[in-house]
Amino acid sequence: MKFWQFLQDQILGMKWLNALIGNGLEAMGIDTGGRIGGSIQFFVYDVLKITVLLCVLIFLISYLQSFFPPERSRRILGRFHGIGANVVSALLGTVTPFCSCSSIPLFMGFTSAGLPLGVTFSFLISSPMVDLGSLVLLMSIFGARVAVVYVVLGLAIAVIGGTVIEKLHMEREVEAFILSARSGELEVPRQSWRERVSYAKEQMLGTFQKVFPYILVGVGVGAVIHNWIPERWIETILGGDNPFGVILATVVGIPMYADIFGTIPVAEALLAKGALLGTVLAFMMAVTTLSLPSLVMLRKAVKPRLLALFIAICTAGIVAVGYVFNTIPFLT
């Protein structure tokens, strides 16, 4: 138990870094107990912490992802049928890119390759919602129990959503150019460990360059919430006194665009100010899974009816997860 607490607080949460930054700021004459000093400490600490976790996680997951290029993933998925294929597809989604916009090209490639539509949608739902990075980052803030349950419920949404789409036979709702672009068999290149390391390094640097601006914005918003917005405001809007807080957080999160790294500091600040855990997690899921840019991209591949069904399934699942976390004391 002490080991897991140490892992969460000092390795993943890097509380030692927070204390170090606080001591450094105070040595410079900055009052970290005040709003301005507290905001500076929150900003520096969260930017450094998330940057370190971002680089380490992306490097490790990209190295793992090098074993599952699109063609190999397609072959793996092609061996399974029924709900088993949806489960495997959702699990494969955990080792793919971190944001929904990056997942859509893979979804389009899988669909063009002739994989069942429900299977490809299970992948599309799980990829941004429950990747391995989200598991580690959630552990750093909320603990292992919350992180594991979050991932399990996210995978359940992906499997159920893909199964529903498969049962409704929505193939006609896919744009014709996707269905006509059937790809043939491609040779999966063998890579040495040096090539895999080089690939992981390139992915890390490329993703960092794209994600870092969102980290700065997310941490900045989190610092404002943490030190400037009165606690009673957050409790009134997103606390236990508002039964519609989960729905509100989901609706607010959908138009935004960020990934798990940009939403973590906002979620952390909201939770510290009295927002319910399920409400915060629903906000994070909505931002990472149903961002407006990703929906615009997805509309190019599917027709409005299928797009609306995808949004409805994800929204219903996210709201359900939020209320599960808010109503079960074991999870808080």
Side-chain angles (χ1 to χ4, degrees), residues 13-55:
M14 299 184 194
K15 289 188 176 181
W16 59 269
L17 177 62
N18 193 30
L20 182 64
I21 293 171
N23 292 335
L25 291 175
E26 289 178 357
M28 296 169 60
I30 299 175
D31 179 17
T32 57
R35 286 184 173 179
I36 295 178
S39 298
I40 295 174
Q41 182 179 3
F42 183 97
F43 185 85
V44 175
Y45 163 63
D46 262 36
V47 168
L48 291 178
K49 178 185 71 174
I50 294 174
T51 297
V52 171
L53 289 174
L54 167 73
C55 293

Side-chain angles (χ1 to χ4, degrees), residues 41-268:
Q41 182 179 3
F42 183 97
F43 185 85
V44 175
Y45 163 63
D46 262 36
V47 168
L48 291 178
K49 178 185 71 174
I50 294 174
T51 297
V52 171
L53 289 174
L54 167 73
C55 293
V56 172
L57 286 172
I58 292 180
F59 182 86
L60 294 176
I61 294 173
S62 295
Y63 186 85
L64 177 62
Q65 186 187 347
S66 69
F67 291 92
F68 298 94
E71 180 60 21
R72 178 168 293 163
S73 298
R74 186 192 70 79
R75 290 181 183 178
I76 293 173
L77 292 175
R79 298 171 187 168
F80 296 86
H81 303 281
I83 195 170
N86 294 94
V87 173
V88 174
S89 180
L91 291 173
L92 277 176
T94 64
V95 292
T96 52
F98 294 97
C99 68
S100 51
C101 286
S102 300
S103 304
I104 290 174
L106 289 174
F107 157 79
M108 294 169 65
F110 289 156
T111 305
S112 297
L115 292 176
L117 188 62
V119 173
T120 60
F121 265 99
S122 288
F123 168 86
L124 181 62
I125 295 171
S126 74
S127 180
M129 186 183 289
V130 291
D131 58 71
L132 295 178
S134 68
L135 175 62
V136 176
L137 286 173
L138 288 169
M139 285 177 62
S140 72
I141 303 298
F142 306 118
R145 181 169 55 191
V146 169
V148 170
V149 175
Y150 172 93
V151 169
V152 170
L153 292 177
L155 289 172
I157 294 173
V159 172
I160 294 172
T163 302
V164 169
I165 291 174
E166 187 69 26
K167 295 297 182 182
L168 292 177
H169 301 290
M170 304 289 287
E171 287 76 11
R172 293 183 178 179
E173 299 301 317
V174 177
E175 293 292 350
F177 80 93
I178 297 292
L179 297 177
S180 62
R182 298 296 184 185
S183 59
E185 291 290 332
L186 297 176
E187 187 67 26
V188 179
R190 293 183 178 274
Q191 292 182 305
S192 66
W193 72 270
R194 291 181 182 275
E195 291 172 327
R196 296 187 192 281
V197 168
S198 177
Y199 169 79
K201 181 180 177 181
E202 290 175 3
Q203 289 292 101
M204 179 190 70
L205 294 175
T207 304
F208 175 76
Q209 291 174 355
K210 291 188 293 184
V211 169
F212 190 65
Y214 297 105
I215 293 177
L216 295 179
V217 173
V219 175
V221 172
V224 171
I225 294 173
H226 193 272
N227 295 282
W228 296 86
I229 296 181
E231 188 171 318
R232 65 179 182 276
W233 290 11
I234 303 297
E235 290 180 345
T236 300
I237 299 173
L238 301 177
D241 293 335
N242 183 5
F244 302 105
V246 171
I247 298 174
L248 176 62
T250 303
V251 173
V252 170
I254 290 176
M256 298 183 181
Y257 176 66
D259 55 21
I260 189 73
F261 298 100
T263 57
I264 279 287
V266 178
E268 185 180 11

Side-chain angles (χ1 to χ4, degrees), residues 284-299:
M284 291 175 54
M285 278 185 160
V287 172
T288 56
T289 309
L290 293 173
S291 66
L292 188 58
S294 70
L295 296 180
V296 172
M297 287 181 62
L298 185 58
R299 171 61 187 90

